[in-house]
Amino acid sequence: MNRIHFIFILLLFLIFCACRRDTPTYRIGVSQCSDDEWRHRMNQEILREAMFYDGVEVEIRTVKDDTEKQKQDIRYFIDQKVDLIIVAPNQAAPLTAIVEEAFDKGIAVITFDRNILSDKYTAFVGADNYEVGKSVGNYIASMLKGKGNIVELTGLAGSTPAIDRHQGFITAISQYPDITLLCQEDAGWLRELAEEKMDTILSRFNDIDVVYAQNDRMAAGAYQAALRHAREDDMSFIGIDALPGEGYGLDLVNKGVLEATFIYPTGGDRVIQIAMDILEGRSYSRETILNTAVVDPTNSHVMTLQTREISELDTKIETLNNRIGIYLSRYATQQIILYGSLFFLLLVAGLLLIVYKSLRTKNRLNAELSKQKIQLETQRDQLIELSRQLEEATHAKLVFFTNISHDFRTPLTLVADPVDHLLADRTLSEEQSKLLRLIKRNVDILLRLVNQILDFRKYENGKLEFVPTRINLLQSLQSWNASFEEAARKKHIHFTFNHTSGSDFDLNADPEKMERIYFNLMSNAFKFTPENGKITVCLSASESPERVWAYRLTVANTGSLISSEHIRSIFDRFYKIDMHHAGSGIGLALVKAFVELHGGTISVESDEKQGTIFTVDIPVERTDISGQTAVSAIADTDTVSVQGVATSSELLLEEISEEESYDTTKPVVLVIDDNADIRSYVHSLLHADYSVLEAANGIEGINKAMKYVPDVIISDIMMPGLDGVECCRRLKSELQTCHIPIILLTACSLDEQRIQGYDVGADSYISKPFNSQVLVSRVRNLLDSTQRIKQVMGEASMITRENVCDMDKDFVARFKSLIEKQMNDSSLNVEDLGKEMGLSRVQLYRKIKSLTNYSPNELLRITRLKKATSLLSSTSLSIAEICYEVGFTSPSYFAKCYKEQYGESPSDYLKRTGGGG
Ligand code: FRU
């Protein structure tokens, strides 16, 4: 258990302690039958007494002399499952059953003051009403000196005090024969009813000496009636209860309204004491009889004083009790605060512990960090030093490149110029001038590259000249567009040029640099747009209502997609999207430099929907340009037009349709290279002895290889899209092409690349720049060795040849078994066989021929004849039967073919070998 858990549990415990409320141990229900002062006093005593016991809850329910309602109260207490019921039954008989039910259910029952008609109660507390009645009788008898007339007002009929007090009274007065009970009336313990009843009695009887009312309330009511009749002095009034306080029994005696009253003690404290004895299992007496005494003018004043004293004491107790209550609630609050504080202290202690530990960890980490910081600082210093060295090295390299580019320029010019001279010679053969044009094109490309490097260095060094003049951009672009039309036509590219109207498109610009910007962007677009793609150029003006402030040129092309990762760096110098993309990576960096020289901006977007769009914004006026001498923008077009696009268009013009050049009598060589000059050059090296097919990329190469099944394939490695290694791997895994020897031709001379090439099945590897004789002899050697193997091994044993791949062995085996199965079918032809092998007629022909040196038909015939020889030597079938058996349609044609193959006819063979089996 970790610290956090411990603190959490402690917290829960404290909260529990703080929130704990004393749940009552005992619940006591009190059911009062009447709502009057006597009951109020008793209730007060009950509640006061209960306070002396811990965990006691008292609920008092009171009815107004209503027996039915009291039954409901008792039912309620039963349902609440109280521990004890204290009940003063309004009437004995009707309430006996419900009290018995409570008792039977195990609830302790204390009846007080009044009782039920059964023994099923736990205890009784109250005065002995019979004795009370008897005391009253004796008191009156002595008061009347044994003679006189009495009227009795009784309590509620059916309530035990009313019954008992009457009986006790009768017992006492029956001793005096001269005492007459004039009448007895039920006044239900109530003053108003007693007054009413007394009214009637007074009109009935003229001679009344004493009115005995079973309580003081009824006595006061009777007195009131006598007062009205002005007969109050004719008779005495006696009551029971003797409650203290203004208007109650004691006071009435003091005032002379009552002759006497008898104490009927409320005893609420006693009831609770007995209840607690019962609940807490102490011994108790089942019947507790409270004392009574007479109060008359002789002792009423003393009694009043005493009761006042008692009442004051009660008030003091009450006050004390309230104070205790306040202290207790304060104590409870303080207890909560204490627990809260304790919890808080613990929490703080826990947190302090955590903070302390964290600080220690932090210090440790800080120490480690500062150690690492020192290490990192050292590494940073080393890196700074390294980067400085690197910068120096890069600078040195760039200086070297610049110098070497300078050095290249002179010899290149010296090559270009003589070539121009030579080209002018009209006596040159077509072959010679073609080679010279090839040299010129490539010298021009080299010159352009060298110039680009030099320009870029100039730009980086801030030495690039900017010669602005007033040009019309629209006219310039329109004239430059002419150079691309041919290229667009040859490559089937849909090229459109649009411009917005309403603007003259005049601006101050360096025409040569503008031209270079445009040609570079267009070369790029043409280079990466596939056949049947689209290039759209748009010139527009960015204007505000007042003036045109910039021109926007967009060059959009379909097909090529530049990922967002490359877009970020595409204008960086020497940045290449991947190794397979041709070019030095300086063209777009230079375009950006030229655009910035004009105070403009360039951006590029590329997505699948719209392709790639280059956007150039050139301001109409560059603030720092002053009017300078115009330099003809178009004059220098020739230098620019030697760039990629022009080169491509020239090449396209020279392309010779493959269908025309494809000569099946010569071995076929397929050249796959994205550089048209290389293709053209290899073509020129081989076309005398071979049919040369060309493909400009890997996909086209694979398609042509599948279609024509060439005898040798020469492929470049670095090509956009599918590279040479992948192309070779695919060709070697296809049945149609797996047998074809492949020469990989590449500018990369790294060993890993060679290994990669051989791993995918390349047969030879030649590095660029290559020696043309080496290439020609390698092609020849590869073809010769295939040829030799076929001749030496012959078709019969060829499938065991070591340099034949498994796929080819399977192929031949499958092909032979196909023939053997259907040999007797004379209609079996090469087309059917091709279909069954999954090859076209040409593919089957080229494949079989290359593997066996026979055409499929020849192979079919030879297999038939071999089978015939075997049948001739092993069966007794006739020659004619064997002829049909092996699928020949006529015995004479069979004999002719047999003789051609083996130099003897089937019959000569039979004669020589002694006939069939
Ligand atoms: C109070 C009271 C007293 C009387 C007693 C009899 O409710 O009416 O006046 O003595 O009940 O039960």
Side-chain angles (χ1 to χ4, degrees):
M1 189 162 61
N2 62 28
R3 273 193 316 272
I4 307 287
H5 282 137
F6 175 71
I7 291 171
F8 183 70
I9 289 168
L10 202 68
L11 164 78
L12 282 180
F13 174 72
L14 288 173
I15 290 173
F16 169 74
C17 291
C19 299
R20 192 169 59 89
R21 288 270 174 277
D22 286 342
T23 44
T25 324
Y26 300 116
R27 288 158 66 227
I28 298 174
V30 178
S31 172
Q32 289 287 16
C33 56
S34 307
D35 189 7
D36 51 54
E37 182 57 20
W38 192 90
R39 302 283 157 194
H40 295 169
R41 278 177 184 276
M42 182 179 180
N43 290 347
Q44 266 176 11
E45 287 161 6
I46 287 175
L47 293 173
R48 199 181 303 130
E49 187 64 22
M51 279 187 308
F52 295 108
Y53 299 91
D54 267 347
V56 175
E57 186 185 271
V58 176
E59 187 183 357
I60 300 174
R61 294 173 88 89
T62 301
V63 296
K64 291 186 174 157
D65 309 301
D66 185 332
T67 304
E68 284 314 305
K69 278 205 177 137
Q70 194 176 20
K71 275 190 202 169
Q72 289 169 17
D73 283 350
I74 296 167
R75 162 77 49 220
Y76 164 81
F77 287 134
I78 294 171
D79 293 345
Q80 288 293 308
K81 295 192 168 71
V82 295
D83 299 292
L84 187 140
I85 297 173
I86 297 168
V87 60
N90 193 40
Q91 290 172 301
L95 283 157
T96 300
I98 187 89
V99 173
E100 281 183 333
E101 184 186 330
F103 181 79
D104 288 341
K105 284 193 169 152
I107 300 172
V109 178
I110 298 178
T111 51
F112 70 94
D113 150 44
R114 306 184 190 184
N115 215 333
I116 51 166
L117 302 180
S118 144
D119 274 351
K120 287 197 171 175
Y121 57 86
T122 317
F124 171 81
V125 181
D128 183 343
N129 282 296
Y130 177 82
E131 279 305 321
V132 173
K134 208 169 152 190
S135 305
V136 173
N138 288 332
Y139 184 85
I140 292 173
S142 99
M143 198 179 98
L144 293 177
K145 297 197 178 62
K147 188 174 178 207
N149 294 328
I150 303 171
V151 166
E152 185 185 11
L153 290 173
T154 58
L156 181 68
S159 66
T160 51
I163 300 163
D164 295 346
R165 286 178 195 180
H166 174 71
Q167 272 173 3
F169 176 69
I170 295 297
T171 309
I173 62 166
S174 59
Q175 305 292 320
Y176 305 95
D178 294 333
I179 289 180
T180 312
L181 179 64
L182 292 177
C183 72
Q184 178 202 358
E185 283 292 339
D186 178 359
W189 305 113
L190 303 171
R191 177 187 172 121
E192 295 72 25
L193 197 56
E195 196 178 334
E196 216 176 277
K197 293 272 165 110
M198 189 61 194
D199 238 10
T200 325
I201 294 168
L202 285 171
S203 52
R204 274 175 58 204
F205 303 101
N206 289 325
D207 191 11
I208 302 170
D209 299 306
V210 173
V211 175
Y212 158 47
Q214 283 191 353
N215 69 4
D216 293 340
R217 277 203 312 270
M218 291 188 294
Y223 177 81
Q224 197 60 37
L227 200 66
R228 265 206 318 279
H229 288 260
R231 288 174 60 186
E232 76 276 12
D233 295 332
D234 300 349
M235 56 196 83
S236 300
F237 297 87
I238 307 244
I240 298 173
D241 280 350
L243 285 179
E246 175 87 26
Y248 299 112
L250 261 180
D251 186 41
L252 294 177
V253 173
N254 283 336
K255 287 176 178 160
V257 173
L258 299 187
E259 179 57 38
T261 179
F262 285 78
I263 294 173
Y264 186 65
T266 41
D269 48 349
R270 197 77 194 95
V271 174
I272 288 298
Q273 282 160 15
I274 292 184
M276 291 315 293
D277 286 343
I278 296 167
L279 289 172
E280 289 176 344
R282 287 187 290 273
S283 67
Y284 60 93
S285 68
R286 191 158 183 270
E287 308 284 331
T288 303
I289 305 302
L290 304 173
N291 294 327
T292 183
V294 67
V295 179
D296 59 13
T298 58
N299 64 355
S300 68
H301 289 288
V302 179
M303 288 287 278
T304 307
L305 285 174
Q306 274 179 348
T307 51
R308 197 170 294 149
E309 194 94 336
I310 291 167
S311 166
E312 274 170 18
L313 278 175
D314 281 348
T315 316
K316 279 184 184 163
I317 289 173
E318 208 104 307
T319 316
L320 209 64
N321 193 41
N322 286 341
R323 289 247 170 102
I324 289 171
I326 292 167
Y327 292 143
L328 277 176
S329 85
R330 261 190 218 160
Y331 168 73
T333 318
Q334 281 166 359
Q335 209 177 14
I336 289 172
I337 293 171
L338 179 75
Y339 285 132
S341 309
L342 262 175
F343 161 69
F344 184 70
L345 271 175
L346 270 170
L347 201 71
V348 169
L351 286 175
L352 277 175
L353 197 74
I354 293 168
V355 168
Y356 170 72
K357 289 228 164 177
S358 309
L359 271 175
R360 269 183 49 182
T361 318
K362 194 187 149 201
N363 285 343
R364 216 184 50 236
L365 285 176
N366 270 349
E368 265 171 44
L369 277 176
S370 45
K371 220 165 87 188
Q372 278 177 8
K373 199 180 148 202
I374 293 167
Q375 273 176 359
L376 282 174
E377 274 169 4
T378 321
Q379 280 173 2
R380 188 199 57 199
D381 292 346
Q382 285 170 349
L383 278 175
I384 291 172
E385 178 56 23
L386 269 176
S387 94
R388 197 188 55 75
Q389 287 171 1
L390 206 70
E391 217 164 282
E392 270 173 19
T394 312
H395 182 72
K397 271 185 205 163
L398 285 173
V399 170
F400 169 75
F401 277 133
T402 316
N403 293 343
I404 214 156
S405 301
H406 268 296
D407 291 349
F408 276 149
R409 213 147 54 156
T410 317
L412 279 172
T413 319
L414 288 174
V415 175
D417 203 48
V419 169
D420 278 345
H421 272 93
L422 284 173
L423 269 171
D425 185 349
R426 293 179 186 272
T427 60
L428 289 177
S429 71
E430 180 51 31
E431 186 67 31
Q432 284 167 331
S433 66
K434 197 177 154 192
L435 282 172
L436 277 173
R437 280 201 301 278
L438 183 70
I439 296 168
K440 174 160 175 48
R441 266 197 316 273
N442 285 283
V443 169
D444 286 345
I445 290 171
L446 281 174
L447 265 172
R448 177 168 55 83
L449 289 171
V450 165
N451 285 339
Q452 275 187 351
I453 292 173
L454 289 173
D455 280 349
F456 195 74
R457 288 294 297 153
K458 274 190 207 161
Y459 173 76
E460 284 195 321
N461 295 330
K463 288 182 185 153
L464 191 65
E465 272 179 26
F466 182 65
V467 190
T469 183
R470 202 75 186 159
I471 64 161
N472 184 283
L473 189 57
L474 176 61
Q475 283 170 13
S476 303
L477 294 182
Q478 280 169 335
S479 73
W480 297 331
N481 279 343
S483 313
F484 305 110
E485 277 159 17
E486 187 61 11
R489 194 180 61 76
K490 288 286 177 190
K491 215 176 164 188
H492 304 291
I493 285 172
H494 184 67
F495 168 47
T496 44
F497 176 80
N498 307 314
H499 63 89
T500 52
S501 58
S503 217
D504 55 9
F505 294 108
D506 278 350
L507 85 163
N508 271 346
D510 183 328
E512 193 226 316
K513 308 236 165 18
M514 280 307 297
E515 197 178 12
R516 298 267 294 272
I517 292 171
Y518 192 55
F519 270 78
N520 256 308
L521 291 178
M522 292 296 279
S523 304
N524 221 46
F526 272 91
K527 201 189 301 174
F528 294 112
T529 306
E531 289 227 4
N532 301 315
K534 233 166 96 179
I535 295 177
T536 311
V537 177
C538 195
L539 179 65
S540 60
S542 307
E543 51 197 330
S544 58
E546 300 87 48
R547 65 188 186 96
V548 175
W549 54 273
Y551 294 123
R552 168 166 288 192
L553 171 70
T554 58
V555 178
N557 71 284
T558 58
S560 64
L561 203 76
I562 311 167
S563 71
S564 53
E565 164 208 352
H566 293 308
I567 275 190
R568 257 182 278 127
S569 331
I570 199 161
F571 295 113
D572 294 352
R573 74 175 173 201
F574 310 131
Y575 185 81
K576 288 178 76 172
I577 288 177
D578 63 54
M579 289 305 288
H580 305 308
H581 277 84
S584 58
I586 204 158
L588 284 173
L590 201 60
V591 166
K592 186 166 182 262
F594 286 170
V595 169
E596 282 170 358
L597 213 57
H598 283 81
T601 55
I602 181 164
S603 60
V604 61
E605 287 168 66
S606 187
D607 63 48
E608 259 168 58
K609 220 173 97 204
Q610 52 178 7
T612 300
I613 305 178
F614 283 88
T615 304
V616 177
D617 286 312
I618 303 281
V620 174
E621 300 292 343
R622 218 191 97 167
T623 41
D624 54 345
I625 298 172
S626 55
Q628 290 188 31
T629 330
V631 175
S632 166
I634 316 298
D636 211 17
T637 312
D638 285 353
T639 7
V640 183
S641 64
V642 291
Q643 299 181 3
V645 177
T647 311
S648 309
S649 67
E650 279 176 40
L651 282 175
L652 287 164
L653 274 172
E654 285 182 5
E655 237 173 46
I656 303 155
S657 159
E658 247 144 29
E659 266 65 39
E660 283 168 37
S661 68
Y662 183 57
D663 178 354
T664 45
T665 58
K666 292 181 189 170
V668 181
V669 178
L670 171 63
V671 183
I672 310 172
D673 200 308
D674 59 328
N675 185 307
D677 280 346
I678 296 280
R679 292 201 304 273
S680 168
Y681 184 56
V682 174
H683 188 286
S684 70
L685 291 175
L686 299 174
H687 82 99
D689 301 316
Y690 307 94
S691 278
V692 183
L693 299 173
E694 289 179 34
N697 56 54
I699 298 285
E700 193 188 332
I702 289 175
N703 289 342
K704 284 194 174 165
M706 298 291 272
K707 185 173 171 192
Y708 299 109
V709 196
D711 295 287
V712 174
I713 293 172
I714 301 168
S715 174
D716 185 23
I717 285 193
M718 293 224 275
M719 290 184 286
L722 201 70
D723 67 25
V725 173
E726 179 58 19
C727 184
C728 177
R729 196 187 60 75
R730 290 207 198 167
L731 288 170
K732 287 291 180 184
S733 60
E734 290 297 334
L735 174 67
Q736 293 90 325
T737 52
C738 64
H739 64 279
I740 306 170
I742 297 177
I743 302 171
L744 288 179
L745 197 60
T746 178
C748 293
S749 51
L750 295 174
D751 278 348
E752 292 97 282
Q753 289 200 326
R754 281 172 186 273
I755 294 167
Q756 223 185 0
Y758 286 126
D759 277 352
V760 293
D763 297 78
S764 188
Y765 214 114
I766 296 180
S767 302
K768 282 183 194 170
F770 56 86
N771 180 313
S772 58
Q773 284 171 350
V774 170
L775 179 71
V776 172
S777 73
R778 193 74 197 105
V779 172
R780 198 172 42 234
N781 284 348
L782 277 173
L783 276 172
D784 282 357
S785 66
T786 321
Q787 208 62 25
R788 251 195 326 275
I789 292 162
K790 280 188 280 193
Q791 280 159 5
V792 171
M793 308 302 282
E795 59 80 26
S797 53
M798 65 77 56
I799 57 164
T800 56
R801 247 167 63 189
E802 268 188 16
N803 63 341
V804 169
C805 66
D806 288 346
M807 219 190 299
D808 280 346
K809 285 177 192 167
D810 283 355
F811 171 77
V812 173
R814 225 157 37 95
F815 186 70
K816 286 177 86 181
S817 90
L818 210 63
I819 296 175
E820 269 160 25
K821 253 192 250 157
Q822 304 173 59
M823 194 178 286
N824 55 359
D825 179 1
S826 58
S827 63
L828 180 68
N829 60 41
V830 179
E831 236 108 81
D832 297 339
L833 287 170
K835 258 186 221 153
E836 292 200 46
M837 296 297 289
L839 299 177
S840 72
R841 197 179 59 83
V842 175
Q843 283 171 337
L844 184 74
Y845 176 84
R846 304 273 312 148
K847 180 95 190 167
I848 295 290
K849 182 84 178 166
S850 123
L851 285 171
T852 65
N853 224 14
Y854 295 114
S855 73
N857 267 329
E858 283 169 339
L859 195 64
L860 178 59
R861 201 174 58 238
I862 290 167
T863 315
R864 281 181 163 144
L865 292 172
K866 276 181 81 182
K867 178 78 180 169
T869 309
S870 138
L871 291 175
L872 283 170
S873 58
S874 61
T875 65
S876 54
L877 293 171
S878 71
I879 291 174
E881 279 169 330
I882 289 172
C883 152
Y884 296 121
E885 183 64 31
V886 298
F888 281 88
T889 43
S890 84
S892 59
Y893 180 62
F894 168 60
K896 183 175 167 272
C897 292
Y898 197 92
K899 186 149 189 195
E900 264 172 28
Q901 181 68 23
Y902 298 114
E904 58 183 349
S905 66
S907 45
D908 287 345
Y909 174 82
L910 279 178
K911 269 184 217 149
R912 184 169 57 79
T913 57

